[in-house]
Amino acid sequence: MLITFKSKAAAEILMYKEHARRILDLLGKDPDQGVITAPEMPHAIAVLEREIGESRAHFAAEELQRDVLAHHGNDHDDNEHEPAQIISFATRAYPLLEMLRAAQQEQQPVVWGV
């Protein structure tokens, strides 16, 4: 199922509900329907920036491990098949963070499920 984030300050953002749930849980919001008001924007932006920063720090270690495994399979001699690339939390959350920044600048809410 998809969630559409809307704001008069930015273009709509579509996101799978399972991916949006992590972001909305961090913000204490219901994934089915909700609003982030202009007064809530600074806190929401700070929470997402902090979580993105933390996920990037951990992602570097995970990326190194994937590179090693890409060159050495379970039997340490298969370099023909690389594992599927994982999309990081930072990559998934960044569009919504940008929407929140634009909404804060224009003092507009961000809504979903309406």
Side-chain angles (χ1 to χ4, degrees):
M1 174 177 248
L2 293 173
I3 292 179
T4 304
F5 293 97
K6 300 176 185 179
S7 176
K8 291 181 180 180
E12 291 182 355
I13 297 172
L14 289 172
M15 192 179 299
Y16 283 110
K17 189 174 186 177
E18 63 189 69
H19 300 144
R21 183 180 314 274
R22 178 173 177 207
I23 296 168
L24 295 172
D25 284 348
L26 288 170
L27 301 177
K29 299 292 184 174
D30 182 359
D32 292 324
Q33 184 178 23
V35 62
I36 300 171
T37 63
E40 294 174 312
M41 291 295 166
H43 174 71
I45 291 169
V47 167
L48 281 183
E49 287 176 337
R50 184 180 66 244
E51 190 67 21
I52 286 171
E54 288 178 18
S55 73
R56 284 186 175 152
H58 296 293
F59 188 72
E62 292 168 2
E63 188 174 4
L64 177 62
Q65 182 180 7
R66 276 198 309 276
D67 285 347
V68 169
L69 291 175
H71 298 290
H72 303 287
N74 290 338
D75 55 3
H76 302 291
D77 64 356
D78 180 15
N79 61 2
E80 298 295 323
H81 301 93
E82 292 191 25
Q85 291 294 318
I86 298 170
I87 298 174
S88 71
F89 174 81
T91 300
R92 292 193 194 282
Y94 190 77
L96 184 58
L97 177 59
E98 286 299 300
M99 176 184 268
L100 291 172
R101 288 175 177 158
Q104 180 183 29
Q105 187 173 11
E106 295 187 23
Q107 293 295 297
Q108 295 292 327
V110 172
V111 299
W112 61 96
V114 293

